[in-house]
Amino acid sequence: MYHDDHDHDLGLAHDLQVMERMVQRRRALRWFAGAGTLALVAGCGGSGDAETDATTAATTATPTPTPTPTPSASSSSSATASCVADASETGGPYPADGTNSSSGSTSNVLTATGIVRSDIRASFLSSTTVATGVQVTLTLTLVDVNQSCAPLAGYAIYLWHCDRQGLYSLYTVAAESYLRGVQVTDSNGQVTFTTIFPGCYDGRWPHIHFEVFSSLANALGGRYATLTSQLALPSSTCATVYADTATYPSSASNFARVALSSDNVFGDNTTAQNTQMTPTFTGTPTAGYAATAVIGLAR
């Protein structure tokens, strides 16, 4: 303890001042000793324990639940991340949509009772003949390219194509009305047709025709198509199907002489358009195929 000999015999007032200073000094020493202990604890990991406690508190805190999305009717269609506007193509010489004539009279199957159907393999006018060939179940999804590829519900799609020999009903097979039909898009923007794989005729890449109408009423009235276009069939599937020359007698030789790049319909499209306008096929000729394609409409 600090001691100064000169502090003796200087009177009571002086002694009291000295005693007060000693008390204050002891308090200070106790405070510094306490601070040193705290510093020592901190150096041994005290602050780390505090961080652990904070981390534990953060880890064990009750999380705010994330709502589980409820699937909607259009969930499958909303998966279409990108799309382009399908190219507008010719309806060709065999549309039967009221835009041309056959055998001297206007041919418009769209006004006929029974045209709204999903399975288009059978004739439905004066005959019930069923077109034979490799079965195809084709699902088309109609989307609005100007609205982030949103599905378009309530639109009508008219689909038609040639038979396995490359002939068209109501024209080159005038007595038949098969391989033609209309369907209305559902809430997913989708329609499904059951049909056959078309044959390949000379000079054209294998294809399927379609027209899009803003409503069923417009489709059944004819001549109100919003889009007229075609689907190009994938090369590998064509080669596989046409290898059966008993079912498709002339398709293999015709197919060997055509190319998508020089086709008078698909040849001037962009790569993106032809990619979208070529359906994806899965399956086999024996079991049949399931095919899907997106139709991009610029409204």
Side-chain angles (χ1 to χ4, degrees):
M1 182 180 298
Y2 177 81
H3 180 73
D4 188 345
D5 292 338
H6 297 287
D7 289 343
H8 293 285
D9 302 324
L10 295 179
L12 179 60
H14 177 268
D15 290 342
L16 291 174
Q17 292 177 358
V18 171
M19 292 172 65
E20 178 65 19
R21 286 197 299 269
M22 291 174 64
V23 171
Q24 292 177 354
R25 189 168 184 272
R26 288 191 181 98
R27 288 175 179 170
L29 288 173
R30 283 198 300 271
W31 185 87
F32 281 117
T37 302
L38 288 174
L40 180 61
V41 171
C44 293
S47 62
D49 291 341
E51 289 173 0
T52 301
D53 291 342
T55 302
T56 303
T59 302
T60 58
T62 303
T64 301
T66 301
T68 301
T70 302
S72 64
S74 60
S75 294
S76 61
S77 292
S78 63
T80 305
S82 62
C83 58
V84 296
D86 278 25
S88 179
E89 309 289 11
T90 176
Y94 312 119
D97 61 355
T99 60
N100 67 357
S101 61
S102 175
S103 301
S105 60
T106 300
S107 179
N108 191 353
V109 75
L110 293 174
T111 61
T113 301
I115 188 62
V116 180
R117 60 198 188 132
S118 179
D119 190 333
I120 63 174
R121 290 174 295 177
S123 290
F124 64 98
L125 295 179
S126 58
S127 165
T128 56
T129 301
V130 177
T132 57
V134 173
Q135 181 173 321
V136 175
T137 301
L138 174 63
T139 299
L140 304 174
T141 302
L142 183 67
V143 300
D144 186 346
V145 299
N146 293 327
Q147 294 294 329
S148 303
C149 308
L152 292 171
Y155 279 65
I157 297 179
Y158 168 43
L159 191 85
W160 76 96
H161 60 80
C162 69
D163 63 16
R164 63 186 179 88
Q165 296 185 31
L167 305 176
Y168 284 86
S169 66
L170 300 176
Y171 293 89
T172 47
V173 190
E176 305 299 345
S177 52
Y178 50 50
L179 306 179
R180 299 178 185 274
V182 173
Q183 282 284 282
V184 178
T185 58
D186 61 16
S187 59
N188 293 320
Q190 293 181 334
V191 295
T192 298
F193 292 95
T194 301
T195 186
I196 64 163
F197 200 91
C200 178
Y201 51 87
D202 193 30
R204 277 300 319 277
W205 185 266
H207 58 281
I208 294 174
H209 295 267
F210 68 89
E211 288 179 337
V212 177
F213 298 83
S214 59
S215 68
L216 180 60
N218 283 343
L220 300 184
R223 296 195 178 193
Y224 297 105
T226 301
L227 172 68
T228 300
S229 192
Q230 300 181 27
L231 299 173
L233 298 182
S235 178
S236 59
T237 310
C238 289
T240 300
V241 171
Y242 298 156
D244 178 4
T245 55
T247 304
Y248 292 86
S250 58
S251 291
S253 57
N254 289 334
F255 184 61
R257 295 193 295 269
V258 297
L260 187 68
S261 59
S262 60
D263 184 76
N264 62 8
V265 170
F266 302 114
D268 59 352
N269 292 344
T270 67
T271 300
Q273 285 175 323
N274 278 339
T275 297
Q276 182 172 278
M277 293 162 66
T278 301
T280 299
F281 277 72
T282 58
T284 65
T286 302
Y289 287 96
T292 59
V294 170
I295 297 175
L297 186 65
R299 295 205 302 168

